[in-house]
Amino acid sequence: HRVSPLQARWQVRGFSSSGSKWELPRKVWPVRMAIPVAWGDQDAYHHVNNVQYFRWFESAHIRYLEKLGIMREGNANDSNGAIIAQSECSFLRPVEYPGDVLVSCRGVSVGRSSLQVEYQVEAGEHMCAAGQATLVYFDHTQLRAIPFSEQHRQIMAQIEQSTGSHVSVESE
């Protein structure tokens, strides 16, 4: 089995192959976003509604895709973007208003046209949720999945090597 130059570089950088997918190192959280909890995010039980966690996840993976050079204009203006094939969340602790959450996102593995990401949501000192999603790189004009280029994979390697120490602050 012949190893391509890209595969060799990824192996040196700590990436590993699992069949047709490349596992990313999962050492850092390259996307970290501080997001204020809005009063309207709450439900009748006086904590943030479960749907809001998926919105936070989406904001974080959009930021990841923007770093990757995808979805810089938003789906309405980009012919290529990403769609969510699967998403899940484990709710660990309720989040309440007022306050802020820190939402983090990183890549887990990359396939031909798919990227698996994972998320965490923290409020103060507490881990409140953990989740994951499978994103598919998608051509919205041809309505089909498209493969990530070698350039995308190189950028993913750089993103996953970044410290993630900068926290971007989102406003309502």
Side-chain angles (χ1 to χ4, degrees):
H1 155 59
R2 187 173 174 279
V3 176
S4 74
L6 178 62
Q7 291 170 329
R9 284 194 303 274
W10 278 45
Q11 287 171 347
V12 167
R13 291 183 178 153
F15 296 80
S16 62
S17 176
S18 170
S20 63
K21 291 197 178 257
W22 281 90
E23 302 298 320
L24 302 172
R26 298 167 78 174
K27 295 178 183 174
V28 298
W29 293 95
V31 171
R32 297 170 49 82
M33 302 171 64
I35 302 174
V37 177
W39 182 84
D41 294 342
Q42 299 177 99
D43 58 21
Y45 300 106
H46 304 288
H47 59 74
V48 171
N49 185 280
N50 293 359
V51 171
Q52 187 60 40
Y53 291 79
F54 289 96
R55 290 183 181 128
W56 293 334
F57 290 173
E58 181 180 56
S59 293
H61 78 239
I62 294 296
R63 181 65 46 85
Y64 189 100
L65 292 169
E66 289 171 344
K67 286 181 171 218
L68 188 54
I70 297 172
M71 297 180 68
R72 290 192 181 257
E73 303 295 323
N75 271 350
N77 297 316
D78 285 329
S79 60
N80 297 338
I83 59 172
I84 301 170
Q86 176 274 335
S87 186
E88 65 182 59
C89 181
S90 295
F91 303 97
L92 307 173
R93 184 181 186 99
V95 173
E96 299 174 344
Y97 173 86
D100 295 309
V101 291
L102 180 62
V103 181
S104 303
C105 177
R106 65 181 167 200
V108 174
S109 64
V110 60
R112 184 183 84 80
S113 60
S114 66
L115 172 64
Q116 186 175 6
V117 295
E118 64 184 0
Y119 314 97
Q120 67 181 21
V121 176
E122 301 168 86
E125 301 291 317
H126 303 286
M127 175 71 71
C128 299
Q132 66 176 18
T134 302
L135 310 176
V136 176
Y137 191 32
F138 198 77
D139 181 330
H140 294 288
T141 58
Q142 298 293 317
L143 301 177
R144 63 179 178 82
I146 50 177
F148 287 111
S149 67
E150 182 165 336
Q151 181 181 10
H152 284 129
R153 293 171 190 276
Q154 290 172 353
I155 294 169
M156 278 183 225
Q158 292 169 356
I159 291 170
E160 293 301 329
Q161 299 287 329
S162 68
T163 64
S165 59
H166 175 73
V167 175
S168 64
V169 178
E170 301 298 305
S171 60
E172 278 297 295

